[in-house]
Amino acid sequence: MINSISIIIPMLNEAESIASVLEHLLENSTSKNIAEIIVVDGGSVDGSQNIVNKFVPSNKIQLLNAHKGRAKQMNFGANHATGTILYFLHADSFPPKNFDNLIIQEVTKRNLAGCFRLQFDNNHWWLQVAGWLTQFSWRASRGGDQSQFITKQLFTEIGGFDENFTIYEDNILINELYARKQFVVIQDKIKTSARLYDKHGVWTLQYHFWTIYIKKWFGASADELYTYYQKYIS
């Protein structure tokens, strides 16, 4: 079977970054490897949709509309994907050059899911350390900012993202993959925005992220996690 990648980007008010991300994807991949780029909007009001629509007539880019919520948006995109590999990407993250070939190489080796190492666009020493730690296979070093590739078959077997979770949905899927011993970290780096750290402060935001992680560890519900996120981060 010839592998092809469907890139799925959930979007909500990403006018500042979405054009740069789409241009980056087109410039750093080989067209024959990309089935389509699916941008799934959750109700943007900042002109994001107009920006994406400028790309839509060509370049295999589609704009879909779905209910708000990253899990819902990503599942919706996956349901419309035609590629054998799904690649979930945040709208402020920039994968490495030839990311498509790197992903296909891993799938060809029967590594059916994984991510890239992470690099923040901020030189704060803690964010540099946090990025450095993502080279290792430790479960605690994983997160959605690293992007996520997974074969469509495996994604379907797992049941996709758990739509009960408005946040932390990436980690729920990653937990499933680790339980199946089906996860690889590609050592090339994806560069992602540190805008939330810039907004809240590095240590304040890191404290809240750790708190959410611990709350989930001790059995907090999806609603409890979302309430905490809305109060302290959103």
Side-chain angles (χ1 to χ4, degrees), residues 11-224:
M11 180 176 74
L12 182 64
N13 297 326
E14 296 288 356
E16 290 187 8
S17 62
I18 191 61
S20 297
V21 169
L22 293 176
E23 290 168 356
H24 179 87
L25 292 173
L26 295 172
E27 291 170 1
N28 289 277
S29 63
T30 303
S31 179
K32 67 179 179 61
N33 291 335
I34 306 300
E36 65 261 317
I37 301 173
I38 303 174
V39 180
V40 188
D41 189 67
S44 295
V45 294
D46 67 342
S48 295
Q49 293 183 345
N50 294 333
I51 294 171
V52 176
N53 276 325
K54 294 178 181 179
F55 289 85
V56 167
S58 59
N59 299 318
K60 302 180 181 179
I61 295 175
Q62 303 175 26
L63 174 63
L64 305 179
N65 295 288
H67 293 294
K68 178 182 176 182
R70 276 199 318 217
K72 294 177 181 178
Q73 290 168 240
M74 291 189 289
N75 282 342
F76 191 79
N79 288 336
H80 288 78
T82 63
T84 58
I85 303 167
L86 306 177
Y87 182 45
F88 298 100
L89 180 71
H90 288 186
D92 60 355
S93 298
F94 298 81
K97 186 174 181 61
N98 298 321
F99 66 91
D100 52 325
N101 285 316
L102 295 169
I103 290 171
I104 289 173
Q105 286 170 14
E106 292 300 330
V107 172
T108 302
K109 291 188 289 187
R110 300 301 297 167
N111 292 319
L112 305 183
C115 68
F116 291 99
R117 285 181 63 177
L118 180 64
Q119 178 182 7
F120 286 104
D121 63 353
N122 182 309
N123 290 324
H124 187 283
W125 73 267
W126 170 249
L127 296 183
Q128 295 301 304
V129 170
W132 179 80
L133 289 171
T134 62
Q135 69 185 289
F136 303 107
S137 60
W138 306 325
R139 170 64 191 88
S141 296
R142 302 282 75 83
D145 283 337
Q146 294 171 255
S147 68
Q148 173 72 64
F149 74 85
I150 180 172
T151 63
K152 190 170 187 180
Q153 181 178 349
L154 180 55
F155 184 79
T156 302
E157 288 175 7
I158 290 174
F161 290 98
D162 187 340
E163 295 185 4
N164 291 314
F165 286 84
T166 308
I167 64 164
Y168 209 78
E169 75 291 328
D170 297 307
N171 287 280
I172 299 299
L173 179 65
I174 291 169
N175 286 344
E176 289 287 339
L177 294 171
Y178 268 74
R180 294 165 183 251
K181 294 181 169 49
Q182 190 55 259
F183 203 97
V184 66
V185 180
I186 300 175
Q187 292 301 305
D188 297 70
K189 296 176 183 178
I190 183 171
K191 190 170 187 178
T192 194
S193 170
R195 58 186 176 178
L196 276 179
Y197 288 98
D198 296 336
K199 176 182 177 182
H200 295 284
V202 170
W203 295 116
T204 298
L205 185 63
Q206 193 63 63
Y207 169 80
H208 291 314
F209 280 157
W210 280 335
T211 299
I212 289 171
Y213 185 85
I214 293 169
K215 281 178 174 290
K216 181 63 180 68
W217 181 269
F218 282 102
S221 68
D223 288 340
E224 288 174 307

